[in-house]
Amino acid sequence: MNDLQKRTWAEISLPNIRHNYEAIRRSLPAGCRFLGVVKADAYGHGALPVSRLLQEAGADYLAVSCLDEALELRRGGITMPILILGHTPPEYTGLLIEENLTQTVSALAKAKEYSAAAQELGKTLRVHIKLDTGMSRLGFLCAGDYFDIGVGNVIASCKLPNLEPEGIYTHFAVSDEPGEENEAYTLQQFQLFTDVIAAVRERGGVRFAIRHCANSGAVVRYPQMALDMVRPGLLLYGYGDESGRLGLLPCMRLVTTVSTIKHYEAGTSVSYGRRFVTARHTRMGVLAIGYADGLPRILSNKCSFYVAGGYAPQRGSICMDMCMLDLTELPQAAVGDEVEIFGEHNDIEALAREAGTISYELLCAVSKRVPRVYDK
Ligand SMILES: *Cc1c(COP(=O)(O)O)cnc(C)c1O
């Protein structure tokens, strides 16, 4: 970080990420591999530093969303296996192979395109088959009437030339949500996943070295679903309702500073839209953070931040680069003070609820403009 600016920054604890990695590892059955999900810049924590840590700590696999994210890691010296969760256009098959990346295959038509491209190059592309067992997103359809077609298409994909089907996976829709209905749905997804794998083996003689389905929710709530590898993202960063169960630690603290403090008489309107009007003499701080830094505008007039040993309410519309904080009750707060937006004193989950969203979105929203400062 440019120390001269001291505007807004995100403190990231690499030791906490390491602690979380090790705690999750300890909870897994012997021999189970660990894939760390580092898509979206490792949920805002910095894909390269987090991947370097995981590589050094002995994780088995990484996952990213797209080819660009994978290339960033390879260029940064990450040599461990990387799975691309999303689609990559077949024109990039050569690059995928050259960079030793593992591509998700979610339909027979796509398998055929990758196979044709790899054949032309005279090389082999490593792939993981993705099943749609109830998320209704990417993946071979295999539920209900689609079972036989799905199994047939997976077998056909795996038998295509120049593809190496190393793994098979699926993704859960409600593994992180409590309640009987959600549990039944997750168990049903898991059953379908294992049924398809068994049918693919019986009917096609295809066996997968790595079967994986457990995202963060399943790692905590359904340890029996670990199979050959788990695939946590949020949990690794110490967030989610379940992270306490494994003794995990949050890894990001978003901090800004008080740029200036002004005194207003009662009846003064504050910020765009004049959505807050002072009811008394008010000592108002201007903070160097706005929605362009990742503080959602929907939190305007609805949140508090931690400063000078206390909590102060945010007032008026949150602007692109600034917002206002009522410091009337905290006379000790001064210009230049650090203000914790979320972190150990201000729970990100509570802030997310107030914003009508989830901690995932607040973490990913911390923008490129915000320097990451690493605690090693
Ligand atoms: C994002 C993602 C994960 C990680 O999910 P968490 O809830 O953060 O653990 C795992 N698998 C797939 C396919 C994903 O897209």
Side-chain angles (χ1 to χ4, degrees), residues 126-137:
R126 195 182 320 108
V127 297
H128 283 206
I129 299 290
K130 171 96 183 261
L131 300 182
D132 177 3
T133 58
M135 175 72 177
S136 307
R137 201 171 67 176

Side-chain angles (χ1 to χ4, degrees), residues 35 37 39 43 63 85 130 137 169-171 175-176 213-217 219 231-237 360:
L35 176 150
V37 179
K39 63 191 180 190
Y43 293 44
L85 298 168
K130 171 96 183 261
R137 201 171 67 176
Y169 73 103
T170 194
H171 196 48
S175 67
D176 57 341
C213 58
N215 55 355
S216 291
V219 167
R231 218 172 53 231
L234 195 73
L235 208 56
L236 184 58
Y237 309 106
Y360 292 81

Side-chain angles (χ1 to χ4, degrees), residues 5-241:
Q5 280 194 26
K6 277 242 164 199
R7 183 183 171 270
T8 293
W9 60 93
E11 291 174 10
I12 290 155
S13 169
L14 294 175
N16 283 9
I17 296 180
R18 186 159 188 128
H19 166 93
N20 295 344
Y21 165 74
E22 283 166 1
I24 298 166
R25 260 285 190 210
R26 276 196 299 277
S27 79
L28 300 177
C32 181
R33 295 175 175 87
F34 185 103
L35 176 150
V37 179
V38 294
K39 63 191 180 190
D41 204 27
Y43 293 44
H45 294 71
L48 253 185
V50 172
S51 299
R52 284 192 185 119
L53 182 157
L54 290 174
Q55 179 162 282
E56 200 193 294
D60 303 282
Y61 237 107
L62 298 172
V64 294
S65 177
C66 57
L67 178 58
D68 277 329
E69 290 185 337
L71 293 177
E72 184 198 345
L73 298 183
R74 285 286 182 255
R75 284 176 192 139
I78 301 298
T79 53
M80 60 192 289
I82 300 174
L83 171 64
I84 297 179
L85 298 168
H87 179 57
T88 305
E91 301 88 275
Y92 293 98
T93 303
L95 192 54
L96 289 170
I97 296 169
E98 218 168 278
E99 298 291 350
N100 194 26
L101 300 169
T102 307
Q103 175 58 45
T104 292
V105 167
S106 54
L108 178 56
K110 292 184 175 174
K112 285 179 175 167
E113 290 178 346
Y114 290 130
S115 169
Q119 255 182 298
E120 208 151 288
L121 297 162
K123 292 181 177 157
T124 298
L125 176 66
R126 195 182 320 108
V127 297
H128 283 206
I129 299 290
K130 171 96 183 261
L131 300 182
D132 177 3
T133 58
M135 175 72 177
S136 307
R137 201 171 67 176
L138 278 186
F140 288 78
L141 274 171
C142 54
D145 291 345
Y146 286 104
F147 188 85
D148 290 324
I149 300 169
V151 169
N153 285 348
V154 169
I155 294 170
S157 299
C158 293
K159 300 219 156 168
L160 288 169
N162 301 69
L163 294 187
E164 179 204 335
E166 175 193 52
I168 186 164
Y169 73 103
T170 194
H171 196 48
F172 293 124
V174 287
S175 67
D176 57 341
E177 295 187 40
E180 249 172 62
E181 205 181 315
N182 293 326
E183 274 165 33
Y185 196 82
T186 304
L187 291 171
Q188 184 187 314
Q189 280 198 267
F190 184 68
Q191 187 66 48
L192 181 55
F193 183 52
T194 52
D195 285 350
V196 171
I197 291 171
V200 166
R201 187 178 60 231
E202 281 155 25
R203 297 178 197 177
V206 179
R207 282 167 190 276
F208 298 95
I210 312 179
R211 302 157 301 157
H212 52 109
C213 58
N215 55 355
S216 291
V219 167
V220 181
R221 291 172 178 274
Y222 305 94
Q224 73 274 26
M225 298 182 187
L227 298 176
D228 303 307
M229 181 162 80
V230 294
R231 218 172 53 231
L234 195 73
L235 208 56
L236 184 58
Y237 309 106
Y239 297 97
D241 296 335

